Amino acid sequence: MLKKPILFASFLMSFIMLAGCEPLLVLDPKGPQAQTQAKDIILSIGIMSAIVFIVFIILAYMVYKYRASKQPADYKPPHIEGNLLVELICVGIPVLIVIYLSFVSVDSNNKVENPPEEYANEEPLVIYASTSNWKWHFSYPEQNIETVNYLYIPAERPLEFKLYSYGPITSFWIPQLGGQKYAMADMVNTLHLAASQPGEYMGRNANFNGKGFAENTFDVTAVSQEEFDEWVNEVHSNAEPLTEVKFEELLEPGHVGRSTFTGTHLTFLPPPEHNHGGSEEQNEHETHE
Amino acid sequence: MEFFERFAVPHPSPAIYASMVAIVLVTVGIIVGLTYFKLWGYLWREWLTTVDHKKIAIMYLISAIAMLFRGGVDAIMMRAQLAQPENTLLDAQHYNEIFTTHGLVMIIFMAMPFIMAFMNLLVPLQIGARDVAFPRLNALSFWLFFVGAMLLNISFVIGGSPDAGWTSYFPLAGNEFSESVGTNYYMFALQISGLGTLITGINFITTILLFRAPGMTLMKMPMFTWSALTANVIIVFAFPVLTIALLMGTMDRLFMTNFFTTTNGGMDMLWANFFWVWGHPEVYILILPAFGIYSEIIATFSQRNLYGHKSMVASMVIISLLSFLVWTHHFFTMGQGALTNSIFSITTMAIAVPTGVKIFNWLFTLWKGKITISTPMLYTLLFIPIFTIGGVTGVMLGMSAADYQYHNTMFLVAHFHMVIIPGVVFAMLAGLHYYWPKFFNFMLNDKLGKIEAWVISMSTLLAFMPMFFSGLDGQARRMYTYSESTGFTIYNMISFVGAIGLASGFVLLVYNVYHSTRYATRNIPSDPWNARSLEWATHTPIPEYNFAIVPTVDSTEAFWDAKENGHVLYREPYTKIHMPNNSGMPFILGCIFFVWGFSFVFALWIPVLISTIGIFACLIHRSLEKDHGRYIEVEEIKKIEQAAGARR
Ligand code: HEM
Ligand SMILES: [Cu+2]
Ligand SMILES: [Cu+2]
């Protein structure tokens, strides 16, 4: 039953490939979460193209067949109220499709809201990602490191991002690793990602937050665990410590380049207390009215 | 000095100075023109004080078209800015103001008055009524809408435009991050016009429930009236939420409360929830009447009754209920967990089912029909495939896990334009061509109309299809620029070409209006399309009382059955007709509301106080006023009817 949509999807995909040469970021996943999302997207493109195709065919047929110019002048269209069978089909098939997509959707929700199954036996790396107008602060509490506007991450290891903001709502997004989530001033959101291979990825704030929004981006470098450890050591021997004064300075609105510090702002300016877990066990709670 | 600084534009540019000059010149031109041609009296008697639903419809229509061009110029500027990487046509601040006002103008001040125009013209005619239930309130609704629109439209020359997006999320929209008065304008423009909309909602529900012609049971109501009823019910449930949200937002900005700021326990997500509890139903307020118009047109030009009348009604009722249960899909990514997202994912996708039913019903209306393709029908036939693409991408967005990738990207922008342009704008243009003879007593040129429809629909595809790709390639929405290395250039360039195409389509429409006004024959039949519902049973031009005798209705297609199957519409003798008197009060009240809103924007408390007193004074004056309307005597009716009959 799924053969047709898949055929359409592959057709569409080849069209995209030909047109763009390079694959579109979202459809070129480099991590398990993005993989799940890309699969959903391709599947839905397939099914949806089939629906569009059917509507096109019926429309073309009707308009061609029942044009006035092809009919006798004295033809009088009949009065037709409707037909139970036809209406059952028109409701039934969409209902089946929606039910099927609902199952897929619920399943994927659980996947993207929880640590990736592929790396279930690995200890996740916790990174606090916060924004101030218009930059990104990344704190690695375990490594006692903080970076501005770039991320260094080990590949093949689950990442647990803790998101919050020092101003307007922003959205943390690395398309090739997985979809975005909001960072807000009054709470901490959790986003589980992972990179399945080393590489350079684009990251940005996806939620409009004023004048500097377009340039509110960051670079992501995924490396092997050894290289990551090396980088950590290097930072510890070369970088300046992050002082409270320095951090206050960084919070001023404006654009800055990349920078690296030892220590994190978490010690003197802790994140909001209110937590919004992304995972199942936390999600019955409070304040999202 | 400080006083003048507040009124100055925070970031003036040549474009804004040019608009200032243009606004002044146009205003002076209008005043001089009206004086020169001695038209002030005419304007006052026939338009500013009118309570006639047909004239109010025309005023809505003209405002909507004017705003379409205002929003369209914004759109072109945005597309031009994005057509090239690192373009410097607009700076960030200017771009932010433009997309904010573009969104607002298009939704609130273009699409809304458009549907109001058709509701005003058609609902009383379709149900065989003489006017709406509360004609004066109806005029007030219009003036409140108009004042809201004007308030927003002066924002870019006095004090600064809103720049936090039409969604105006807090805390970005709070004082800390949006210092100019722009967001105050947003709050008051929306509040005042929203009040007008709410009044319309109540007015039309009452009209439809109480003023139907004898014999017209609810299930015999024509489809457009049904769509208007469901839309107005949504209005009455959704707009109070907006009112309260705006009130709280205003308090945050002017009185330093902390409802939505993130200090002192304010909750930014509360705004998002309120906004979309109103905002999602709002899109159905727009789309349902559009569906109603398509239903009328497709039946007329297939020369067949609408297929599945009952399931059409049922699907609209279901859509109106579901529309209140999906708002969270606008912030799946706010961290509410898999369970909440799953629930809203399912309710969202569920809306596709009744919508699909409608599409299939339209397709089956063509079945065994006798299809003639005139401009309104061409728009309708082009709407079906383009809207279907927009609709199915909505289902894709409804899958919340995948929405983590679409959210805030051009994919979303593509989706909602592909729904709203064929869904609402095409419907309005189709309706414009279809009902033009009922509005203005002559027909628009069909050939030009068809070119228009093709240009506009193909340009829509050209302008918005590329955005699906650039969105999946990581182009976030609301970005004023991007670098060449992103690879977005080609998509944005194509979009720009499409936008130019769209603009030329609309220019063609204007040319068509001009051309037809000059050359079209005024001698047209009152039922030029061989249509099916009661609005076409009136004369052209429609007398102020609509129907000399209130029709009696036996079926869903009363007029068709009267023409084809010998039903008798008019069974009573002539009797004198009661009509309401014109009133200057709605217009005056509108002017006072303008002063009130403007003073609030700049926190000028003394004028606020005075105009508040003025508003209450008007209300009190109205409650004490004795105005029982007037009668049109039988003699006069006979004269008018004879003249109308002779004309035909
Ligand atoms: C006439 C052709 C149109 C073009 C070329 C156009 C183009 C655009 C562009 C470029 C954006 C901004 C994307 C971004 O940077 O986020 C936008 C946003 C928007 N448009 Fe249009 N648009 C058109 C018509 C319409 C119509 C008819 C409507 C509604 C009835 C509409 C409603 C909106 C809304 C609500 C937004 C979101 C604004 C925001 O992000 O705050 N547009 N449009
Ligand atoms: Cu919605
Ligand atoms: Cu939250």
Side-chain angles (χ1 to χ4, degrees):
Chain A
M1 183 211 151
L2 277 177
K3 234 179 194 158
K4 216 174 187 180
I6 287 169
L7 213 72
F8 271 110
S10 49
F11 172 75
L12 205 79
M13 281 303 294
S14 49
F15 174 74
I16 293 166
M17 299 291 183
L18 285 176
C21 301
E22 291 197 12
L24 302 170
L25 284 191
V26 167
L27 300 181
D28 182 24
K30 296 286 192 260
Q33 311 295 53
Q35 184 91 50
T36 304
Q37 289 157 334
K39 253 195 236 148
D40 281 9
I41 292 172
I42 296 293
L43 172 80
S44 57
I45 290 180
I47 297 178
M48 295 303 131
S49 321
I51 295 173
V52 171
F53 184 72
I54 291 167
V55 169
F56 276 37
I57 295 292
I58 301 180
L59 178 67
Y61 172 79
M62 294 290 184
V63 173
Y64 180 76
K65 180 95 190 283
Y66 298 107
R67 268 179 313 170
S69 55
K70 294 195 68 177
Q71 288 163 342
D74 60 351
Y75 172 64
K76 286 228 180 263
H79 183 93
I80 309 170
E81 281 292 341
N83 179 314
L84 194 64
L85 184 69
V86 174
E87 274 166 47
L88 277 181
I89 294 173
C90 292
V91 175
I93 292 178
V95 165
L96 291 179
I97 294 176
V98 167
I99 290 177
Y100 172 64
L101 290 179
S102 297
F103 276 109
V104 176
S105 178
V106 171
D107 181 49
S108 307
N109 281 341
N110 287 316
K111 279 191 190 148
V112 302
E113 284 293 319
N114 287 306
E117 287 152 20
E118 283 85 342
Y119 306 113
N121 44 7
E122 299 262 348
E123 191 56 25
L125 174 67
V126 177
I127 303 174
Y128 284 73
S130 54
T131 44
S132 64
N133 281 352
W134 289 275
K135 48 197 121 36
W136 286 92
H137 311 270
F138 300 109
S139 321
Y140 299 69
E142 208 180 310
Q143 285 72 18
N144 204 25
I145 281 178
E146 180 148 330
T147 64
V148 176
N149 287 339
Y150 78 97
L151 260 179
Y152 231 73
I153 50 168
E156 295 187 271
R157 181 172 167 190
L159 308 166
E160 189 173 322
F161 286 97
K162 298 285 184 191
L163 311 171
Y164 57 99
S165 156
Y166 287 99
I169 300 175
T170 54
S171 193
F172 175 85
W173 188 32
I174 308 170
Q176 287 183 286
L177 299 191
Q180 60 195 286
K181 209 175 232 183
Y182 285 176
M184 298 178 284
D186 50 356
M187 63 187 51
V188 175
N189 257 336
T190 304
L191 180 64
H192 301 279
L193 297 179
S196 49
Q197 63 194 74
E200 299 273 335
Y201 308 117
M202 185 275 278
R204 67 164 298 118
N205 162 24
N207 194 61
F208 177 63
N209 64 337
K211 237 187 245 168
F213 169 64
E215 293 92 359
N216 200 357
T217 57
F218 57 93
D219 307 314
V220 184
T221 311
V223 293
S224 66
Q225 183 69 45
E226 299 84 67
E227 279 176 86
F228 179 74
D229 293 336
E230 256 167 54
W231 174 75
V232 171
N233 286 335
E234 210 175 296
V235 171
H236 274 290
S237 45
N238 294 338
E240 306 266 303
L242 180 65
T243 61
E244 222 171 321
V245 177
K246 179 69 197 167
F247 190 67
E248 293 292 335
E249 216 173 277
L250 278 174
L251 286 184
E252 294 292 314
H255 290 290
V256 296
R258 298 164 158 228
S259 42
T260 317
F261 302 96
T262 56
T264 70
H265 72 264
L266 303 174
T267 48
F268 50 81
L269 207 66
E273 274 165 23
H274 185 67
N275 263 271
H276 256 270
S279 50
E280 281 294 82
E281 70 274 14
Q282 281 160 306
N283 88 46
E284 58 279 358
H285 85 182
E286 74 230 284
T287 59
H288 254 191
E289 37 289 310
Chain B
M1 229 17 240
E2 197 258 332
F3 190 74
F4 284 101
E5 268 164 27
R6 275 201 296 173
F7 293 97
V9 181
H11 80 109
S13 75
I16 288 182
Y17 283 128
S19 330
M20 273 187 197
V21 175
I23 290 177
V24 172
L25 287 181
V26 170
T27 315
V28 171
I30 291 174
I31 293 175
V32 169
L34 287 172
T35 313
Y36 183 78
F37 291 106
K38 298 202 174 61
L39 285 174
W40 285 105
Y42 166 79
L43 192 66
W44 177 258
R45 278 190 311 278
E46 296 291 320
W47 296 98
L48 302 186
T49 62
T50 187
V51 294
D52 182 344
H53 69 98
K54 302 178 282 294
K55 284 193 173 151
I56 290 174
I58 290 176
M59 294 197 291
Y60 271 121
L61 189 71
I62 292 170
S63 319
I65 292 174
M67 288 298 113
L68 177 68
F69 280 86
R70 155 80 213 265
V73 170
D74 287 344
I76 293 284
M77 289 207 282
M78 283 191 283
R79 287 309 349 162
Q81 163 67 19
L82 291 181
Q84 286 294 319
E86 270 139 47
N87 203 348
T88 51
L89 185 69
L90 303 174
D91 60 22
Q93 176 60 25
H94 201 171
Y95 189 86
N96 296 348
E97 293 177 7
I98 287 180
F99 76 66
T100 302
T101 46
H102 164 78
L104 258 184
V105 162
M106 284 299 196
I107 304 270
I108 305 292
F109 301 115
M110 186 284 283
M112 283 299 265
F114 241 132
I115 66 151
M116 293 298 172
F118 287 102
M119 264 170 19
N120 265 284
L121 178 74
L122 294 178
V123 166
L125 298 181
Q126 286 203 330
I127 62 175
R130 297 246 154 82
D131 204 331
V132 297
F134 310 110
R136 249 195 227 200
L137 271 187
N138 198 21
L140 180 62
S141 286
F142 170 77
W143 289 113
L144 289 180
F145 145 75
F146 189 77
V147 161
M150 289 303 109
L151 212 49
L152 185 72
N153 274 285
I154 59 168
S155 70
F156 69 104
V157 288
I158 307 177
S161 295
D163 58 1
W166 87 284
T167 49
S168 212
Y169 272 19
F170 281 79
L172 178 61
N175 286 330
E176 193 186 345
F177 301 104
S178 295
E179 291 162 19
S180 85
V181 295
T183 304
N184 296 357
Y185 271 116
Y186 172 100
M187 298 281 163
F188 284 94
L190 263 180
Q191 186 69 281
I192 295 174
S193 61
L195 190 61
T197 309
L198 184 58
I199 297 175
T200 302
I202 296 168
N203 204 345
F204 277 81
I205 293 177
T206 317
T207 307
I208 294 171
L209 293 184
L210 298 182
F211 280 47
R212 272 167 294 137
M216 186 180 281
T217 59
L218 282 180
M219 283 319 290
K220 288 194 180 122
M221 249 163 34
M223 200 46 66
F224 180 78
T225 303
W226 255 112
S227 70
L229 179 62
T230 44
N232 283 302
V233 170
I234 302 179
I235 286 178
V236 168
F237 283 95
F239 267 77
V241 182
L242 178 69
T243 305
I244 297 302
L246 289 171
L247 195 67
M248 291 162 80
T250 306
M251 304 259 280
D252 273 9
R253 288 191 59 87
L254 291 176
F255 305 118
M256 312 309 149
T257 55
N258 293 295
F259 290 113
F260 306 129
T261 59
T262 40
T263 45
N264 290 335
M267 282 185 290
D268 46 1
M269 322 84 77
L270 186 60
W271 167 268
N273 276 285
F274 276 163
F275 184 86
W276 287 114
V277 166
W278 161 77
H280 191 85
E282 164 68 18
V283 302
Y284 289 92
I285 296 171
L286 299 175
I287 203 90
L288 291 179
F291 285 172
I293 288 183
Y294 284 132
S295 301
E296 301 293 342
I297 290 174
I298 212 158
T300 297
F301 293 99
S302 310
Q303 298 183 42
R304 241 210 66 184
N305 66 316
L306 191 65
Y307 186 88
H309 188 272
K310 284 200 190 76
S311 57
M312 280 303 221
V313 171
S315 65
M316 281 198 296
V317 172
I318 293 169
I319 289 175
S320 66
L321 293 175
L322 281 178
S323 73
F324 283 95
L325 301 180
V326 302
W327 78 92
T328 294
H329 66 207
H330 295 276
F331 39 88
F332 278 144
T333 59
M334 213 191 274
Q336 50 223 336
L339 182 66
T340 311
N341 279 0
S342 297
I343 292 170
F344 283 95
S345 174
I346 294 169
T347 53
T348 300
M349 289 191 286
I351 290 198
V353 176
T355 313
V357 168
K358 301 190 84 69
I359 292 183
F360 285 113
N361 278 346
W362 288 317
L363 290 175
F364 288 123
T365 303
L366 301 170
W367 183 52
K368 294 201 176 164
K370 195 173 181 185
I371 302 166
T372 44
I373 301 181
S374 59
T375 306
M377 187 64 164
L378 184 59
Y379 272 116
T380 310
L381 294 176
L382 288 166
F383 143 79
I384 292 177
I386 301 177
F387 179 81
T388 306
I389 299 176
V392 296
T393 52
V395 176
M396 294 172 65
L397 287 161
M399 298 182 69
S400 48
D403 183 67
Y404 279 33
Q405 292 283 23
Y406 306 128
H407 186 56
N408 275 329
T409 68
M410 292 314 266
F411 190 96
L412 171 85
V413 177
H415 152 70
F416 77 71
H417 283 92
M418 294 279 278
V419 178
I420 217 163
I421 293 185
V424 180
V425 180
F426 286 18
M428 297 308 143
L429 296 176
L432 190 77
H433 285 84
Y434 186 54
Y435 287 113
W436 191 268
K438 283 292 162 206
F439 275 115
F440 298 110
N441 317 321
F442 60 93
M443 312 266 287
L444 288 176
N445 186 302
D446 199 49
K447 206 178 227 162
L448 282 171
K450 280 183 187 157
I451 302 175
E452 216 181 83
W454 279 112
V455 171
I456 289 178
S457 55
M458 293 304 119
S459 304
T460 304
L461 288 173
L462 207 58
F464 297 105
M465 287 302 278
M467 294 185 197
F468 286 119
F469 297 100
S470 70
L472 288 176
D473 204 18
Q475 188 182 358
R477 73 195 280 211
R478 300 174 171 183
M479 267 164 56
Y480 86 104
T481 191
Y482 54 91
S483 73
E484 189 164 6
S485 62
T486 54
F488 302 152
T489 315
I490 177 74
Y491 304 115
N492 287 290
M493 195 63 216
I494 300 173
S495 269
F496 176 58
V497 174
I500 297 288
L502 268 164
S504 12
F506 291 118
V507 170
L508 210 61
L509 170 71
V510 174
Y511 176 71
N512 191 353
V513 170
Y514 162 79
H515 182 272
S516 309
T517 309
R518 272 198 78 168
Y519 301 112
T521 170
R522 299 295 181 236
N523 190 13
I524 56 160
S526 62
D527 174 26
W529 308 111
N530 193 15
R532 314 178 77 86
S533 42
L534 276 180
E535 68 269 30
W536 300 100
T538 55
H539 300 299
T540 298
I542 309 171
E544 70 167 316
Y545 49 70
N546 298 348
F547 298 91
I549 300 166
V550 173
T552 307
V553 171
D554 301 313
S555 71
T556 46
E557 302 189 298
F559 184 49
W560 181 258
D561 286 328
K563 287 190 292 190
E564 298 290 317
N565 302 321
H567 290 202
V568 181
L569 276 183
Y570 306 114
R571 301 182 191 167
E572 318 274 318
Y574 285 130
T575 49
K576 63 181 180 176
I577 296 174
H578 180 254
M579 297 302 292
N581 284 324
N582 281 2
S583 166
M585 199 52 96
F587 176 71
I588 293 168
L589 204 49
C591 294
I592 300 178
F593 260 104
F594 183 85
V595 177
W596 183 80
F598 185 83
S599 325
F600 247 124
V601 167
F602 289 94
L604 306 170
W605 301 117
I606 293 169
V608 167
L609 198 70
I610 297 174
S611 47
T612 308
I613 295 172
I615 291 168
F616 279 99
C618 288
L619 299 184
I620 293 168
H621 173 267
R622 173 61 181 142
S623 358
L624 301 178
E625 189 185 16
K626 288 202 171 52
D627 175 359
H628 299 300
R630 72 206 144 86
Y631 282 97
I632 302 177
E633 297 300 331
V634 173
E635 278 312 303
E636 201 185 334
I637 300 170
K638 280 191 179 149
K639 231 185 277 162
I640 298 172
E641 289 294 305
Q642 248 158 24
R647 198 170 166 278
R648 215 174 332 154

